[in-house]
Amino acid sequence: MHTPHRQRGWLGLIGLLLALVIVAVLAQKVLKTYGLLSGAQPEAKSATERGPRGPGEVSPAPLDASGVTPAPAAAMERARGLESAVQQQAQDLNKRMDETAK
């Protein structure tokens, strides 16, 4: 009478192991398909077998020669202007702190 009760645990364990093996095999196939797992690569099809992947042939965009490139001197002038503004603000802050300390 105790035999069927004791075997239920073993049957459940065997069922879980079987399910785990099935999931592992399927995961291995998926990882190989995506190329994330080393092993047999999926069969590479030629471009004619695959067909077009996009809307059509793509050519590089033409360069716009009329665009204005900023001169490095202008960037340096902006940086110097910003530096002088920051220094002026620091001096003003020091003056206000000195006035409040009196």
Side-chain angles (χ1 to χ4, degrees), residues 46-87:
S46 66
T48 56
E49 291 176 3
R50 285 186 295 214
R53 289 185 60 133
E57 293 213 16
V58 178
S59 62
L63 292 176
D64 185 15
S66 65
V68 179
T69 57
M76 289 300 291
E77 290 299 322
R78 286 196 319 257
R80 287 186 184 123
L82 181 61
E83 179 186 15
S84 64
V86 169
Q87 287 177 350

Side-chain angles (χ1 to χ4, degrees), residues 20-62:
L20 181 64
V21 168
I22 292 170
V23 169
V25 169
L26 291 175
Q28 183 181 15
K29 287 181 182 179
V30 169
L31 289 175
K32 281 184 181 179
T33 303
Y34 290 146
L36 299 174
L37 188 64
S38 63
Q41 295 292 330
E43 293 180 16
K45 296 181 181 178
S46 66
T48 56
E49 291 176 3
R50 285 186 295 214
R53 289 185 60 133
E57 293 213 16
V58 178
S59 62

